[in-house]
mmCIF file of all heavy atoms in Angstrom:
data_model
loop_
_atom_site.group_PDB
_atom_site.id
_atom_site.type_symbol
_atom_site.label_atom_id
_atom_site.label_comp_id
_atom_site.label_asym_id
_atom_site.label_seq_id
_atom_site.Cartn_x
_atom_site.Cartn_y
_atom_site.Cartn_z
ATOM 1 N N GLN P 178 -28.151 42.224 -22.137
ATOM 2 C CA GLN P 178 -29.578 42.047 -22.379
ATOM 3 C C GLN P 178 -30.207 41.478 -21.058
ATOM 4 O O GLN P 178 -29.886 40.278 -20.784
ATOM 5 C CB GLN P 178 -29.824 41.313 -23.549
ATOM 6 C CG GLN P 178 -29.594 41.887 -24.961
ATOM 7 C CD GLN P 178 -30.631 43.037 -25.042
ATOM 8 O OE1 GLN P 178 -31.818 43.036 -24.607
ATOM 9 N NE2 GLN P 178 -30.108 44.125 -25.703
ATOM 10 N N PRO P 179 -31.103 42.093 -20.467
ATOM 11 C CA PRO P 179 -31.705 41.504 -19.245
ATOM 12 C C PRO P 179 -32.887 40.743 -19.585
ATOM 13 O O PRO P 179 -33.528 40.744 -20.672
ATOM 14 C CB PRO P 179 -32.203 42.783 -18.502
ATOM 15 C CG PRO P 179 -32.532 43.739 -19.526
ATOM 16 C CD PRO P 179 -31.514 43.456 -20.654
ATOM 17 N N ALA P 180 -33.248 39.883 -18.695
ATOM 18 C CA ALA P 180 -34.332 38.955 -18.780
ATOM 19 C C ALA P 180 -35.616 39.730 -18.091
ATOM 20 O O ALA P 180 -35.482 40.870 -17.580
ATOM 21 C CB ALA P 180 -34.229 37.641 -18.142
ATOM 22 N N ASP P 181 -36.802 39.075 -18.361
ATOM 23 C CA ASP P 181 -37.930 39.712 -17.618
ATOM 24 C C ASP P 181 -37.795 39.758 -16.117
ATOM 25 O O ASP P 181 -37.052 38.895 -15.515
ATOM 26 C CB ASP P 181 -39.226 38.776 -17.869
ATOM 27 C CG ASP P 181 -39.775 38.978 -19.282
ATOM 28 O OD1 ASP P 181 -39.623 40.164 -19.813
ATOM 29 O OD2 ASP P 181 -40.301 38.112 -19.878
ATOM 30 N N PRO P 182 -38.176 40.752 -15.445
ATOM 31 C CA PRO P 182 -39.143 41.870 -15.784
ATOM 32 C C PRO P 182 -38.335 43.138 -16.387
ATOM 33 O O PRO P 182 -38.956 44.120 -16.255
ATOM 34 C CB PRO P 182 -39.976 42.109 -14.718
ATOM 35 C CG PRO P 182 -39.040 41.860 -13.575
ATOM 36 C CD PRO P 182 -38.070 40.762 -13.983
ATOM 37 N N PHE P 183 -36.953 42.962 -16.658
ATOM 38 C CA PHE P 183 -36.222 44.200 -16.797
ATOM 39 C C PHE P 183 -36.047 44.459 -18.287
ATOM 40 O O PHE P 183 -35.251 45.457 -18.697
ATOM 41 C CB PHE P 183 -34.924 43.986 -16.113
ATOM 42 C CG PHE P 183 -34.837 43.886 -14.734
ATOM 43 C CD1 PHE P 183 -34.921 42.592 -14.112
ATOM 44 C CD2 PHE P 183 -35.184 45.146 -13.887
ATOM 45 C CE1 PHE P 183 -34.878 42.475 -12.751
ATOM 46 C CE2 PHE P 183 -35.200 44.929 -12.503
ATOM 47 C CZ PHE P 183 -35.043 43.642 -11.902
ATOM 48 N N LYS P 184 -36.646 43.757 -19.225
ATOM 49 C CA LYS P 184 -36.307 43.908 -20.648
ATOM 50 C C LYS P 184 -36.770 45.367 -21.245
ATOM 51 O O LYS P 184 -35.985 45.873 -21.987
ATOM 52 C CB LYS P 184 -37.227 42.941 -21.580
ATOM 53 C CG LYS P 184 -36.665 41.629 -21.458
ATOM 54 C CD LYS P 184 -37.529 40.609 -22.377
ATOM 55 C CE LYS P 184 -36.868 39.258 -22.517
ATOM 56 N NZ LYS P 184 -37.749 38.304 -23.363
ATOM 57 N N SER P 185 -37.670 45.903 -20.589
ATOM 58 C CA SER P 185 -38.102 47.170 -21.215
ATOM 59 C C SER P 185 -37.318 48.327 -20.692
ATOM 60 O O SER P 185 -37.243 49.406 -21.149
ATOM 61 C CB SER P 185 -39.553 47.545 -20.697
ATOM 62 O OG SER P 185 -39.697 47.518 -19.238
ATOM 63 N N LEU P 186 -36.260 48.157 -19.697
ATOM 64 C CA LEU P 186 -35.451 49.093 -19.314
ATOM 65 C C LEU P 186 -34.170 49.269 -20.147
ATOM 66 O O LEU P 186 -33.377 50.120 -19.920
ATOM 67 C CB LEU P 186 -34.915 48.791 -17.777
ATOM 68 C CG LEU P 186 -36.053 48.808 -16.830
ATOM 69 C CD1 LEU P 186 -35.477 48.347 -15.499
ATOM 70 C CD2 LEU P 186 -36.709 50.115 -16.697
ATOM 71 N N THR P 187 -34.150 48.610 -21.357
ATOM 72 C CA THR P 187 -32.970 48.880 -22.216
ATOM 73 C C THR P 187 -33.039 50.096 -22.880
ATOM 74 O O THR P 187 -32.046 50.598 -23.360
ATOM 75 C CB THR P 187 -32.892 47.625 -23.173
ATOM 76 O OG1 THR P 187 -34.067 47.462 -23.915
ATOM 77 C CG2 THR P 187 -32.593 46.327 -22.523
ATOM 78 N N ASN P 188 -34.213 50.696 -23.086
ATOM 79 C CA ASN P 188 -34.331 52.007 -23.825
ATOM 80 C C ASN P 188 -34.873 52.992 -22.787
ATOM 81 O O ASN P 188 -36.031 52.900 -22.407
ATOM 82 C CB ASN P 188 -35.385 51.813 -24.894
ATOM 83 C CG ASN P 188 -35.274 53.219 -25.781
ATOM 84 O OD1 ASN P 188 -34.993 54.249 -25.221
ATOM 85 N ND2 ASN P 188 -35.605 53.000 -27.159
ATOM 86 N N GLN P 189 -33.969 53.916 -22.290
ATOM 87 C CA GLN P 189 -34.381 54.820 -21.174
ATOM 88 C C GLN P 189 -35.378 55.855 -21.713
ATOM 89 O O GLN P 189 -35.923 56.598 -20.780
ATOM 90 C CB GLN P 189 -33.177 55.336 -20.624
ATOM 91 C CG GLN P 189 -32.219 54.297 -20.034
ATOM 92 C CD GLN P 189 -32.846 53.463 -18.998
ATOM 93 O OE1 GLN P 189 -33.450 54.000 -18.022
ATOM 94 N NE2 GLN P 189 -32.814 52.142 -19.106
ATOM 95 N N ARG P 190 -35.546 56.080 -22.982
ATOM 96 C CA ARG P 190 -36.374 57.286 -23.310
ATOM 97 C C ARG P 190 -37.791 56.862 -23.717
ATOM 98 O O ARG P 190 -38.714 57.638 -24.030
ATOM 99 C CB ARG P 190 -35.717 57.923 -24.583
ATOM 100 C CG ARG P 190 -34.434 58.531 -24.267
ATOM 101 C CD ARG P 190 -33.872 59.415 -25.463
ATOM 102 N NE ARG P 190 -33.472 58.563 -26.606
ATOM 103 C CZ ARG P 190 -32.303 57.894 -26.643
ATOM 104 N NH1 ARG P 190 -31.320 58.074 -25.687
ATOM 105 N NH2 ARG P 190 -31.925 57.196 -27.641
ATOM 106 N N ILE P 191 -38.155 55.454 -23.568
ATOM 107 C CA ILE P 191 -39.572 55.131 -23.846
ATOM 108 C C ILE P 191 -40.246 55.380 -22.564
ATOM 109 O O ILE P 191 -39.957 54.990 -21.418
ATOM 110 C CB ILE P 191 -39.534 53.533 -24.162
ATOM 111 C CG1 ILE P 191 -38.815 53.268 -25.465
ATOM 112 C CG2 ILE P 191 -40.977 53.066 -24.239
ATOM 113 C CD1 ILE P 191 -38.887 51.831 -25.953
ATOM 114 N N PRO P 192 -41.433 56.156 -22.725
ATOM 115 C CA PRO P 192 -42.343 56.425 -21.556
ATOM 116 C C PRO P 192 -42.897 55.189 -20.882
ATOM 117 O O PRO P 192 -43.020 54.159 -21.431
ATOM 118 C CB PRO P 192 -43.339 57.353 -22.053
ATOM 119 C CG PRO P 192 -43.483 56.997 -23.547
ATOM 120 C CD PRO P 192 -42.062 56.571 -24.028
ATOM 121 N N TYR P 193 -43.360 55.449 -19.674
ATOM 122 C CA TYR P 193 -43.980 54.396 -18.907
ATOM 123 C C TYR P 193 -45.121 53.668 -19.536
ATOM 124 O O TYR P 193 -45.292 52.459 -19.476
ATOM 125 C CB TYR P 193 -44.429 54.881 -17.566
ATOM 126 C CG TYR P 193 -45.229 54.013 -16.643
ATOM 127 C CD1 TYR P 193 -44.742 53.062 -15.811
ATOM 128 C CD2 TYR P 193 -46.658 54.056 -16.706
ATOM 129 C CE1 TYR P 193 -45.297 52.200 -15.113
ATOM 130 C CE2 TYR P 193 -47.394 53.196 -16.094
ATOM 131 C CZ TYR P 193 -46.704 52.168 -15.164
ATOM 132 O OH TYR P 193 -47.569 51.339 -14.417
ATOM 133 N N SER P 194 -46.008 54.399 -20.274
ATOM 134 C CA SER P 194 -47.178 53.839 -20.945
ATOM 135 C C SER P 194 -46.734 52.761 -21.903
ATOM 136 O O SER P 194 -47.540 51.848 -22.060
ATOM 137 C CB SER P 194 -47.965 54.980 -21.562
ATOM 138 O OG SER P 194 -47.163 55.718 -22.431
ATOM 139 N N GLU P 195 -45.550 52.966 -22.526
ATOM 140 C CA GLU P 195 -45.103 51.875 -23.598
ATOM 141 C C GLU P 195 -44.249 50.779 -22.887
ATOM 142 O O GLU P 195 -44.403 49.680 -23.233
ATOM 143 C CB GLU P 195 -44.288 52.613 -24.635
ATOM 144 C CG GLU P 195 -45.111 53.578 -25.450
ATOM 145 C CD GLU P 195 -44.276 54.157 -26.559
ATOM 146 O OE1 GLU P 195 -43.493 53.459 -27.095
ATOM 147 O OE2 GLU P 195 -44.485 55.412 -26.850
ATOM 148 N N ASN P 196 -43.521 51.243 -21.773
ATOM 149 C CA ASN P 196 -42.737 50.235 -21.151
ATOM 150 C C ASN P 196 -43.518 49.297 -20.335
ATOM 151 O O ASN P 196 -43.189 48.078 -20.141
ATOM 152 C CB ASN P 196 -41.766 50.982 -20.213
ATOM 153 C CG ASN P 196 -40.430 51.066 -20.893
ATOM 154 O OD1 ASN P 196 -40.152 50.347 -21.809
ATOM 155 N ND2 ASN P 196 -39.565 51.941 -20.295
ATOM 156 N N ASP P 197 -44.528 49.809 -19.753
ATOM 157 C CA ASP P 197 -45.394 49.057 -18.807
ATOM 158 C C ASP P 197 -44.763 48.545 -17.636
ATOM 159 O O ASP P 197 -44.969 47.432 -17.079
ATOM 160 C CB ASP P 197 -46.195 47.955 -19.502
ATOM 161 C CG ASP P 197 -47.344 47.377 -18.755
ATOM 162 O OD1 ASP P 197 -47.978 48.135 -17.949
ATOM 163 O OD2 ASP P 197 -47.552 46.184 -18.843
ATOM 164 N N ILE P 198 -43.677 49.221 -17.220
ATOM 165 C CA ILE P 198 -43.017 48.874 -16.019
ATOM 166 C C ILE P 198 -42.236 50.148 -15.454
ATOM 167 O O ILE P 198 -42.046 51.069 -16.122
ATOM 168 C CB ILE P 198 -41.846 47.949 -16.446
ATOM 169 C CG1 ILE P 198 -41.174 47.332 -15.108
ATOM 170 C CG2 ILE P 198 -40.750 48.488 -17.253
ATOM 171 C CD1 ILE P 198 -40.183 46.287 -15.345
ATOM 172 N N ALA P 199 -42.177 50.114 -14.154
ATOM 173 C CA ALA P 199 -41.357 51.216 -13.376
ATOM 174 C C ALA P 199 -40.699 50.713 -12.367
ATOM 175 O O ALA P 199 -41.036 49.579 -11.764
ATOM 176 C CB ALA P 199 -42.403 52.260 -12.823
ATOM 177 N N ILE P 200 -39.551 51.131 -11.841
ATOM 178 C CA ILE P 200 -38.680 50.469 -10.970
ATOM 179 C C ILE P 200 -37.913 51.622 -10.091
ATOM 180 O O ILE P 200 -37.601 52.627 -10.568
ATOM 181 C CB ILE P 200 -37.625 49.499 -11.618
ATOM 182 C CG1 ILE P 200 -36.777 48.849 -10.586
ATOM 183 C CG2 ILE P 200 -36.727 50.215 -12.577
ATOM 184 C CD1 ILE P 200 -35.785 47.766 -11.067
ATOM 185 N N THR P 201 -37.856 51.261 -8.831
ATOM 186 C CA THR P 201 -36.926 52.094 -7.963
ATOM 187 C C THR P 201 -35.881 51.124 -7.416
ATOM 188 O O THR P 201 -36.310 50.066 -6.876
ATOM 189 C CB THR P 201 -37.719 52.877 -6.921
ATOM 190 O OG1 THR P 201 -36.773 53.523 -6.113
ATOM 191 C CG2 THR P 201 -38.504 51.808 -5.956
ATOM 192 N N GLN P 202 -34.633 51.413 -7.541
ATOM 193 C CA GLN P 202 -33.595 50.477 -7.204
ATOM 194 C C GLN P 202 -32.301 51.272 -6.682
ATOM 195 O O GLN P 202 -32.012 52.157 -7.410
ATOM 196 C CB GLN P 202 -33.164 49.502 -8.240
ATOM 197 C CG GLN P 202 -32.387 48.221 -7.888
ATOM 198 C CD GLN P 202 -31.019 48.485 -7.904
ATOM 199 O OE1 GLN P 202 -30.426 49.309 -8.773
ATOM 200 N NE2 GLN P 202 -30.258 47.920 -7.001
ATOM 201 N N GLY P 203 -31.811 50.970 -5.558
ATOM 202 C CA GLY P 203 -30.757 51.883 -4.907
ATOM 203 C C GLY P 203 -29.636 52.024 -5.745
ATOM 204 O O GLY P 203 -29.304 53.206 -5.986
ATOM 205 N N MET P 204 -28.853 50.997 -6.003
ATOM 206 C CA MET P 204 -27.670 50.998 -6.511
ATOM 207 C C MET P 204 -27.485 51.703 -7.978
ATOM 208 O O MET P 204 -26.560 52.361 -8.247
ATOM 209 C CB MET P 204 -26.779 49.780 -6.548
ATOM 210 C CG MET P 204 -25.406 49.915 -6.682
ATOM 211 S SD MET P 204 -24.553 48.413 -6.289
ATOM 212 C CE MET P 204 -22.857 48.907 -6.325
ATOM 213 N N SER P 205 -28.466 51.357 -8.764
ATOM 214 C CA SER P 205 -28.506 51.733 -10.188
ATOM 215 C C SER P 205 -29.040 53.151 -10.206
ATOM 216 O O SER P 205 -28.837 53.975 -11.217
ATOM 217 C CB SER P 205 -29.222 50.824 -11.125
ATOM 218 O OG SER P 205 -30.622 50.820 -10.669
ATOM 219 N N GLY P 206 -29.778 53.678 -9.154
ATOM 220 C CA GLY P 206 -30.219 55.075 -9.162
ATOM 221 C C GLY P 206 -31.591 55.200 -9.701
ATOM 222 O O GLY P 206 -32.033 56.353 -9.895
ATOM 223 N N TYR P 207 -32.260 54.154 -10.104
ATOM 224 C CA TYR P 207 -33.647 54.281 -10.711
ATOM 225 C C TYR P 207 -34.598 54.662 -9.449
ATOM 226 O O TYR P 207 -34.477 54.413 -8.464
ATOM 227 C CB TYR P 207 -34.177 52.964 -11.160
ATOM 228 C CG TYR P 207 -33.463 52.501 -12.434
ATOM 229 C CD1 TYR P 207 -32.816 51.365 -12.603
ATOM 230 C CD2 TYR P 207 -33.781 53.150 -13.689
ATOM 231 C CE1 TYR P 207 -32.166 50.877 -13.776
ATOM 232 C CE2 TYR P 207 -33.178 52.794 -14.860
ATOM 233 C CZ TYR P 207 -32.442 51.701 -14.878
ATOM 234 O OH TYR P 207 -31.935 51.192 -16.066
ATOM 235 N N MET P 208 -35.485 55.590 -9.948
ATOM 236 C CA MET P 208 -36.529 56.056 -9.077
ATOM 237 C C MET P 208 -37.816 56.031 -9.810
ATOM 238 O O MET P 208 -37.888 56.206 -11.079
ATOM 239 C CB MET P 208 -36.404 57.526 -8.541
ATOM 240 C CG MET P 208 -35.034 57.618 -7.764
ATOM 241 S SD MET P 208 -34.897 59.232 -6.938
ATOM 242 C CE MET P 208 -33.403 59.076 -6.162
ATOM 243 N N ILE P 209 -38.984 55.962 -9.184
ATOM 244 C CA ILE P 209 -40.305 55.982 -9.844
ATOM 245 C C ILE P 209 -40.832 57.423 -9.659
ATOM 246 O O ILE P 209 -40.806 58.064 -8.712
ATOM 247 C CB ILE P 209 -41.243 55.062 -9.088
ATOM 248 C CG1 ILE P 209 -40.832 53.645 -9.204
ATOM 249 C CG2 ILE P 209 -42.667 55.183 -9.600
ATOM 250 C CD1 ILE P 209 -41.579 52.632 -8.452
ATOM 251 N N LYS P 210 -41.155 57.981 -10.789
ATOM 252 C CA LYS P 210 -41.729 59.322 -10.925
ATOM 253 C C LYS P 210 -43.278 59.329 -10.994
ATOM 254 O O LYS P 210 -43.807 58.643 -11.825
ATOM 255 C CB LYS P 210 -41.065 60.151 -12.043
ATOM 256 C CG LYS P 210 -41.433 61.724 -12.103
ATOM 257 C CD LYS P 210 -40.777 62.347 -13.067
ATOM 258 C CE LYS P 210 -41.146 63.863 -13.166
ATOM 259 N NZ LYS P 210 -40.427 64.604 -14.138
ATOM 260 N N LEU P 211 -43.929 60.140 -10.067
ATOM 261 C CA LEU P 211 -45.279 60.343 -10.111
ATOM 262 C C LEU P 211 -45.730 61.720 -10.439
ATOM 263 O O LEU P 211 -45.049 62.582 -9.720
ATOM 264 C CB LEU P 211 -46.048 59.761 -8.864
ATOM 265 C CG LEU P 211 -45.861 58.258 -8.535
ATOM 266 C CD1 LEU P 211 -46.542 58.050 -7.155
ATOM 267 C CD2 LEU P 211 -46.612 57.413 -9.647
ATOM 268 N N ILE P 212 -46.682 61.992 -11.167
ATOM 269 C CA ILE P 212 -47.209 63.333 -11.280
ATOM 270 C C ILE P 212 -48.696 63.317 -10.777
ATOM 271 O O ILE P 212 -49.560 62.620 -11.312
ATOM 272 C CB ILE P 212 -47.222 63.821 -12.791
ATOM 273 C CG1 ILE P 212 -45.730 63.828 -13.312
ATOM 274 C CG2 ILE P 212 -47.791 65.236 -12.859
ATOM 275 C CD1 ILE P 212 -45.662 64.227 -14.765
ATOM 276 N N LEU P 213 -48.911 64.099 -9.683
ATOM 277 C CA LEU P 213 -50.149 64.043 -9.028
ATOM 278 C C LEU P 213 -51.134 65.141 -9.713
ATOM 279 O O LEU P 213 -50.790 66.216 -9.788
ATOM 280 C CB LEU P 213 -49.908 64.461 -7.596
ATOM 281 C CG LEU P 213 -51.197 64.347 -6.630
ATOM 282 C CD1 LEU P 213 -51.533 62.875 -6.516
ATOM 283 C CD2 LEU P 213 -50.826 64.856 -5.165
ATOM 284 N N PRO P 214 -52.248 64.717 -10.148
ATOM 285 C CA PRO P 214 -53.261 65.545 -10.668
ATOM 286 C C PRO P 214 -53.813 66.473 -9.703
ATOM 287 O O PRO P 214 -53.925 66.147 -8.476
ATOM 288 C CB PRO P 214 -54.385 64.731 -11.181
ATOM 289 C CG PRO P 214 -54.209 63.374 -10.421
ATOM 290 C CD PRO P 214 -52.819 63.183 -10.010
ATOM 291 N N PHE P 215 -54.115 67.730 -10.240
ATOM 292 C CA PHE P 215 -54.955 68.669 -9.255
ATOM 293 C C PHE P 215 -56.248 68.209 -8.890
ATOM 294 O O PHE P 215 -56.881 67.460 -9.723
ATOM 295 C CB PHE P 215 -54.923 69.953 -9.923
ATOM 296 C CG PHE P 215 -53.754 70.859 -9.917
ATOM 297 C CD1 PHE P 215 -53.014 71.103 -11.122
ATOM 298 C CD2 PHE P 215 -53.072 71.285 -8.759
ATOM 299 C CE1 PHE P 215 -51.876 71.928 -11.170
ATOM 300 C CE2 PHE P 215 -52.000 71.974 -8.788
ATOM 301 C CZ PHE P 215 -51.372 72.296 -9.947
ATOM 302 N N PRO P 216 -56.819 68.499 -7.755
ATOM 303 C CA PRO P 216 -58.077 68.106 -7.255
ATOM 304 C C PRO P 216 -59.077 68.645 -8.199
ATOM 305 O O PRO P 216 -58.970 69.815 -8.812
ATOM 306 C CB PRO P 216 -58.095 68.607 -5.840
ATOM 307 C CG PRO P 216 -56.752 68.908 -5.483
ATOM 308 C CD PRO P 216 -56.055 69.195 -6.715
ATOM 309 N N ASP P 217 -60.175 67.901 -8.235
ATOM 310 C CA ASP P 217 -61.303 68.600 -8.998
ATOM 311 C C ASP P 217 -62.185 69.463 -7.973
ATOM 312 O O ASP P 217 -62.750 68.966 -7.008
ATOM 313 C CB ASP P 217 -62.298 67.435 -9.420
ATOM 314 C CG ASP P 217 -63.542 67.941 -10.136
ATOM 315 O OD1 ASP P 217 -63.620 69.105 -10.332
ATOM 316 O OD2 ASP P 217 -64.484 67.074 -10.429
ATOM 317 N N ILE P 218 -62.092 70.821 -8.272
ATOM 318 C CA ILE P 218 -62.596 71.825 -7.367
ATOM 319 C C ILE P 218 -63.934 72.410 -8.044
ATOM 320 O O ILE P 218 -64.347 73.522 -7.634
ATOM 321 C CB ILE P 218 -61.692 72.725 -6.856
ATOM 322 C CG1 ILE P 218 -61.083 73.467 -8.178
ATOM 323 C CG2 ILE P 218 -60.566 72.224 -6.136
ATOM 324 C CD1 ILE P 218 -60.140 74.735 -7.905
ATOM 325 N N LYS P 219 -64.650 71.802 -8.852
ATOM 326 C CA LYS P 219 -65.835 72.307 -9.505
ATOM 327 C C LYS P 219 -67.037 72.394 -8.579
ATOM 328 O O LYS P 219 -67.741 73.274 -8.604
ATOM 329 C CB LYS P 219 -66.168 71.526 -10.753
ATOM 330 C CG LYS P 219 -65.071 71.555 -11.883
ATOM 331 C CD LYS P 219 -65.681 70.850 -13.094
ATOM 332 C CE LYS P 219 -64.530 70.794 -14.149
ATOM 333 N NZ LYS P 219 -64.835 70.046 -15.449
ATOM 334 N N GLU P 220 -66.943 71.293 -7.705
ATOM 335 C CA GLU P 220 -67.985 71.379 -6.683
ATOM 336 C C GLU P 220 -67.577 72.157 -5.392
ATOM 337 O O GLU P 220 -66.613 71.856 -4.890
ATOM 338 C CB GLU P 220 -68.417 70.054 -6.244
ATOM 339 C CG GLU P 220 -68.925 69.071 -7.457
ATOM 340 C CD GLU P 220 -69.314 67.686 -6.959
ATOM 341 O OE1 GLU P 220 -69.691 67.588 -5.837
ATOM 342 O OE2 GLU P 220 -69.160 66.685 -7.720
ATOM 343 N N THR P 221 -68.288 73.073 -5.059
ATOM 344 C CA THR P 221 -67.963 74.021 -4.058
ATOM 345 C C THR P 221 -68.031 73.420 -2.634
ATOM 346 O O THR P 221 -66.990 73.523 -1.887
ATOM 347 C CB THR P 221 -68.780 75.266 -4.031
ATOM 348 O OG1 THR P 221 -68.768 75.976 -5.298
ATOM 349 C CG2 THR P 221 -68.360 76.270 -2.894
ATOM 350 N N TYR P 222 -69.069 72.684 -2.400
ATOM 351 C CA TYR P 222 -69.157 72.178 -1.022
ATOM 352 C C TYR P 222 -68.737 70.645 -1.052
ATOM 353 O O TYR P 222 -69.498 69.619 -1.057
ATOM 354 C CB TYR P 222 -70.669 72.256 -0.622
ATOM 355 C CG TYR P 222 -71.315 73.624 -0.606
ATOM 356 C CD1 TYR P 222 -72.001 74.094 -1.630
ATOM 357 C CD2 TYR P 222 -70.877 74.446 0.384
ATOM 358 C CE1 TYR P 222 -72.548 75.391 -1.597
ATOM 359 C CE2 TYR P 222 -71.319 75.852 0.453
ATOM 360 C CZ TYR P 222 -72.130 76.251 -0.612
ATOM 361 O OH TYR P 222 -72.640 77.492 -0.622
ATOM 362 N N LYS P 223 -67.484 70.521 -0.940
ATOM 363 C CA LYS P 223 -66.886 69.245 -0.957
ATOM 364 C C LYS P 223 -65.590 69.227 0.165
ATOM 365 O O LYS P 223 -64.867 70.247 0.147
ATOM 366 C CB LYS P 223 -66.244 68.828 -2.245
ATOM 367 C CG LYS P 223 -65.652 67.510 -2.357
ATOM 368 C CD LYS P 223 -65.019 67.223 -3.749
ATOM 369 C CE LYS P 223 -66.160 67.194 -4.813
ATOM 370 N NZ LYS P 223 -65.612 66.819 -6.168
#
Side-chain angles (χ1 to χ4, degrees):
Q178 285 295 327
D181 283 329
F183 299 99
K184 281 184 177 179
S185 59
L186 295 177
T187 56
N188 189 332
Q189 301 302 309
R190 293 187 293 275
I191 295 179
Y193 171 84
S194 58
E195 296 181 33
N196 263 339
D197 195 30
I198 187 173
I200 180 172
T201 182
Q202 197 267 329
M204 194 166 189
S205 64
Y207 285 118
M208 295 184 185
I209 298 173
K210 184 175 183 178
L211 293 180
I212 299 177
L213 188 66
F215 282 113
D217 180 7
I218 56 175
K219 293 180 181 179
E220 298 181 32
T221 305
Y222 302 101
K223 181 185 293 185

